[in-house]
Amino acid sequence: MCYVSSSETSGRQVAIRRQLAAEQGPRMTSCLFLGVAPRPPPAALHLLLRRRMASNRAFQLRLNPLTGDSEWLVVDEEEEAPAPSQHKQLLAATSYLDMLNDTARNRAYRHAIDATVTDPTSCVLDIGAGTGLLSMMAARALAAAGGEGRGSVSACEAYLPMGKLTRRVLRANGMENRIKVFHKRSDELRVGVELDSRADILVSEILDSELLGEGLIPTLQHAHDMLLVKNPKTVPYRATTYGVLVESMLLWKMHDLHSNEANTEDGVWLTPGTENILSVKLQQHAMQCDALEDEILLLSEPFKVFEFDFWKRPDSHRETKIEIKATADGHAHAIISWWVLQLDSAGSVFYSTAPGWVRQSSGVDLPQCVNGMKDWCDHWKQCVWFIQGTGAPAMKDQTLALRASHDQTSISYHLNINDEVSSRSPKSDHLTLLPERIALYGDKAWRSALIGAVRNAMSGRSSPTCIVADDSVLLALIVSSLLPSSKVITMFPGLRDKGFNYLRAVADANNFSMDRIKVIGKKASSLTMNDLKDEKINLVVGEPFYHGSEGMLPWQNLRFWNERTLLGPLLSEDAFIMPCRGILRLCAMSLPDLWRSRCSLKDVEGFDHSVVNDTFGACGDLPGEQQGPCLPYYVWQCGYNKKLSEVYSLMDFNFSEPIHSCFGKTKIKFSHDGICHGFAVWIDWVLDEKKSIVISTGPESRYWKQGVQLLSRPVQVNPGP
């Protein structure tokens, strides 16, 4: 555990302790808390994945990120107690708290609902109720119109822990008897059963950064078919998506691995030949593009892409062709997109997710959100669509042809490329990774560090047996390429057969035979000497990187230490472990935008939300010394940020030893004036025994998430004399 005493934070330094409690074996867990009192670590992280098994029961998936183990638990939907502690980490990691701190969003919905709910006999349906804010707004507006006892408000919230919290908020505001709450998906509601009649008014907020990813289209289709009257009123009324062409070297590095690795000249080929066999997934990627303001060149004015009218049944698929006039010479690497909500039918209330640097265009209507610009927020970002390959050259005043299409859950673009080629289904040996990992794999310094460490480790070993303990295809290629006589065993816990098929596809280009590589579909705890043909393991290597775990906290990558421990009986006496160590580091940060978005709730547009603060892990003005959990963020995308101290080492994990409990303590001395909102925490991986090759995952690296622990109250600090 990690503690910060509030009595120590007013001066120049702050005392910090950190303890990692862990067991040897598959039930290892760990977590980090900064607070004044210890709390037991959760046994596992619950994921937002449920399966209904009966009217009052549901399955919920529980995942332990340090072991990869998961299990389905049965949850009783009738239980009315507050959400249990195991749900808090999950709910704290959602966007609810940030969304409820978005004043511009809340105000826009209030204005639009007040203008829409004017008929006292209205039947209002809220889909995806969350804390019930929109339902309460509708009930209040209905009462103001004289409709109390005549009209009705129904709310559905499918996620059980959230639905329970909805009821708590309604009780706290005296609304429990004015709003019917259903713990169901909207497509499970039936008129004449749950609903007395079709609804006249739909209020909803089922939007993600791309707009469509939370199932907006199928939800609206079902609602119009089964739950709403003909020509209903809706809030929002309409959504419009926009885009802009940009040149950006950072965005180019995040998708064009083939070109970038050609410049590394290290002889290892992740993308040999002309076909990009390892790439980002062809989709829109959510990103805080305000942080890119100084690193992009706008190559066009904003252009309108699609309109989606909530008041009528949407189409499942559409396509449009857009002619874009280039406004500057450059190379189009990406399309950055966002959306604008028109919340009322009169067209007077808007909300926009556009980045702050978007210029108004005389040819395109880009309305501002109500009452001016919104604050930084994390619940909705912009989206980046990477233009394939090296991108598209653009000359000022040139007209570029863009084809945009959407299905039920996503929008895609095709710019000056062969549609037939771009739409082909990927082969079985094609891997897709997140943009940040693609950028790492094309980074010359990153690759050089890994290659150098492996080369040094293999020095003097004639025919070593090596295990790649994680999902690193790069390390499997490096070991096989550097030492032809080596035997490589890859665990690939997340990639599995796809990883093997990929290696087979690139083997010839890297001059090794697949006869020397074996993919074992077993957990480390099940591996035996028979699997190794009675040969001890000389090398255990990892990045560490686990496919599908990219959103985890930094120390949850200590799964590598757990795997290495389980492999202990199979290791030779002189076995080399890479990385050799992990060093937990931290620094004090000023993060005013992030802290504001995570601060405790009181009045939200006239409704008390204080009952949700503990469950959502809020910070600021809480009873006693409550403190929210540490959460993963890309610090460089967290709005304004500034380091207030040097980087401190808090704990050292020695991977040559079996996993064990650790304890660390340090004092932080502030080196800059400012307001301390919390700490950024990460792990630096030491690759070699001499500690000469170190890979940092700190805030300077844009390709790793850091853990961010916010203080319960910000503190003014200064370095002093």
Side-chain angles (χ1 to χ4, degrees), residues 85-380:
S85 58
Q86 62 261 36
H87 294 302
K88 290 183 180 180
Q89 179 77 14
L90 169 64
L91 288 172
T94 67
S95 60
Y96 286 113
L97 184 60
D98 177 71
M99 185 177 297
L100 291 165
N101 271 306
D102 187 345
T103 303
R105 174 247 184 202
N106 300 335
R107 186 184 300 121
Y109 266 96
R110 176 172 62 84
H111 287 328
I113 289 175
D114 287 347
T116 303
V117 184
T118 56
D119 185 339
T121 64
S122 295
C123 296
V124 183
L125 174 62
D126 179 3
I127 294 180
T131 63
L133 176 62
L134 304 188
S135 294
M136 291 188 294
M137 289 179 177
R140 181 174 59 188
L142 194 62
E148 193 165 358
R150 300 167 65 190
S152 65
V153 179
S154 299
C156 65
E157 172 54 56
Y159 183 52
L160 176 61
M162 193 66 238
K164 292 179 179 180
L165 196 57
T166 306
R167 294 184 182 275
R168 293 176 61 196
V169 175
L170 295 183
R171 283 195 294 269
N173 289 276
M175 288 274 191
E176 67 269 33
N177 296 322
R178 297 168 62 182
I179 299 169
K180 296 180 181 179
V181 179
F182 302 102
H183 297 314
K184 295 183 176 183
R185 300 192 312 268
S186 62
D187 61 3
E188 295 174 317
L189 298 180
R190 291 169 293 172
V191 174
V193 181
E194 291 84 8
L195 305 180
D196 294 332
S197 63
R198 287 180 176 251
D200 311 290
I201 301 173
L202 171 68
V203 297
S204 63
E205 202 285 71
I206 44 177
L207 315 172
D208 68 349
S209 295
E210 187 178 2
L211 187 72
L212 305 182
E214 288 190 6
L216 173 65
I217 288 178
T219 299
L220 287 179
Q221 287 176 337
H222 178 268
H224 279 280
D225 290 343
M226 306 300 295
L227 306 176
L228 303 177
V229 300
K230 187 177 181 180
N231 298 321
K233 296 180 179 180
T234 63
V235 179
Y237 181 79
R238 173 182 292 131
T240 305
T241 59
Y242 294 90
V244 66
L245 283 178
V246 301
E247 175 183 281
S248 169
M249 293 301 292
L250 177 66
L251 296 181
W252 173 62
K253 290 178 180 178
M254 286 186 169
H255 79 278
D256 189 5
L257 177 58
H258 184 74
S259 297
N260 279 289
E261 81 164 352
N263 297 325
T264 61
E265 300 176 349
D266 52 33
V268 177
W269 295 102
L270 288 160
T271 59
T274 57
E275 191 163 345
N276 204 351
I277 197 170
L278 182 62
S279 66
V280 296
K281 189 174 182 179
L282 202 59
Q283 66 178 37
Q284 295 201 78
H285 298 268
M287 193 176 299
Q288 290 282 5
C289 293
D290 272 325
L292 297 173
E293 181 174 5
D294 298 329
E295 301 178 67
I296 62 172
L297 172 65
L298 295 176
L299 297 180
S300 76
E301 297 287 358
F303 48 84
K304 185 183 295 186
V305 185
F306 287 113
E307 282 188 349
F308 299 89
D309 292 319
F310 290 64
W311 53 272
K312 65 180 181 181
R313 192 183 193 277
D315 295 326
S316 295
H317 304 272
R318 280 189 297 167
E319 183 175 306
T320 185
K321 293 182 179 179
I322 306 167
E323 290 189 349
I324 303 171
K325 186 176 181 179
T327 56
D329 294 340
H331 214 86
H333 294 129
I335 296 169
I336 293 178
S337 65
W338 63 94
W339 45 259
V340 175
L341 285 185
Q342 177 186 329
L343 286 108
D344 64 330
S345 60
S348 61
V349 185
F350 292 90
Y351 181 95
S352 172
T353 63
W357 41 258
V358 167
R359 292 180 287 118
Q360 294 292 334
S361 170
S362 59
V364 179
D365 180 23
L366 293 177
Q368 295 295 324
C369 59
V370 66
N371 288 359
M373 295 301 294
K374 60 183 176 63
D375 291 325
W376 179 91
C377 66
D378 191 57
H379 60 97
W380 287 316

Side-chain angles (χ1 to χ4, degrees), residues 282-488:
L282 202 59
Q283 66 178 37
Q284 295 201 78
H285 298 268
M287 193 176 299
Q288 290 282 5
C289 293
D290 272 325
L292 297 173
E293 181 174 5
D294 298 329
E295 301 178 67
I296 62 172
L297 172 65
L298 295 176
L299 297 180
S300 76
E301 297 287 358
F303 48 84
K304 185 183 295 186
V305 185
F306 287 113
E307 282 188 349
F308 299 89
D309 292 319
F310 290 64
W311 53 272
K312 65 180 181 181
R313 192 183 193 277
D315 295 326
S316 295
H317 304 272
R318 280 189 297 167
E319 183 175 306
T320 185
K321 293 182 179 179
I322 306 167
E323 290 189 349
I324 303 171
K325 186 176 181 179
T327 56
D329 294 340
H331 214 86
H333 294 129
I335 296 169
I336 293 178
S337 65
W338 63 94
W339 45 259
V340 175
L341 285 185
Q342 177 186 329
L343 286 108
D344 64 330
S345 60
S348 61
V349 185
F350 292 90
Y351 181 95
S352 172
T353 63
W357 41 258
V358 167
R359 292 180 287 118
Q360 294 292 334
S361 170
S362 59
V364 179
D365 180 23
L366 293 177
Q368 295 295 324
C369 59
V370 66
N371 288 359
M373 295 301 294
K374 60 183 176 63
D375 291 325
W376 179 91
C377 66
D378 191 57
H379 60 97
W380 287 316
K381 306 177 178 69
Q382 295 76 45
C383 281
V384 175
W385 176 276
F386 297 108
I387 296 172
Q388 295 184 59
T390 58
M395 297 179 62
K396 186 177 181 180
D397 296 328
Q398 176 189 3
T399 298
L400 301 174
L402 176 69
R403 182 170 64 88
S405 59
H406 77 77
D407 56 22
Q408 287 198 327
T409 57
S410 62
I411 299 174
S412 59
Y413 301 94
H414 303 274
L415 178 67
N416 289 357
I417 54 177
N418 185 295
D419 292 346
E420 182 179 351
V421 172
S422 65
S423 61
R424 287 186 305 183
S425 299
K427 297 180 179 179
S428 61
D429 53 16
H430 182 256
L431 287 184
T432 58
L433 300 176
L434 287 185
E436 290 79 14
R437 189 139 298 271
I438 291 293
L440 272 177
Y441 280 170
D443 184 84
K444 189 173 184 177
W446 162 266
R447 292 164 66 106
S448 177
L450 289 179
I451 290 173
V454 170
R455 180 178 284 116
N456 292 341
M458 297 173 72
S459 177
R461 301 176 189 265
S462 57
S463 55
T465 298
C466 172
I467 278 192
V468 181
D470 58 7
D471 283 308
S472 175
V473 291
L474 178 58
L475 281 174
L477 290 177
I478 288 173
V479 174
S480 300
S481 301
L482 288 182
L483 195 59
S485 60
S486 62
K487 298 176 182 177
V488 182

Side-chain angles (χ1 to χ4, degrees), residues 506-558:
V506 300
D508 289 343
N510 290 278
N511 298 314
F512 67 83
S513 169
M514 284 300 294
D515 294 339
R516 294 187 291 104
I517 290 187
K518 183 177 182 180
V519 177
I520 295 184
K522 289 186 175 182
K523 294 186 177 181
S525 57
S526 303
L527 211 61
T528 67
M529 288 300 294
N530 288 334
D531 297 310
L532 305 177
K533 296 183 178 180
D534 295 323
E535 294 188 17
K536 289 280 189 175
I537 300 169
N538 308 109
L539 298 171
V540 179
V541 298
E543 293 186 30
F545 158 65
Y546 293 90
H547 186 67
S549 301
E550 294 88 348
M552 300 294 185
L553 288 160
W555 44 88
Q556 288 168 338
N557 280 326
L558 289 177

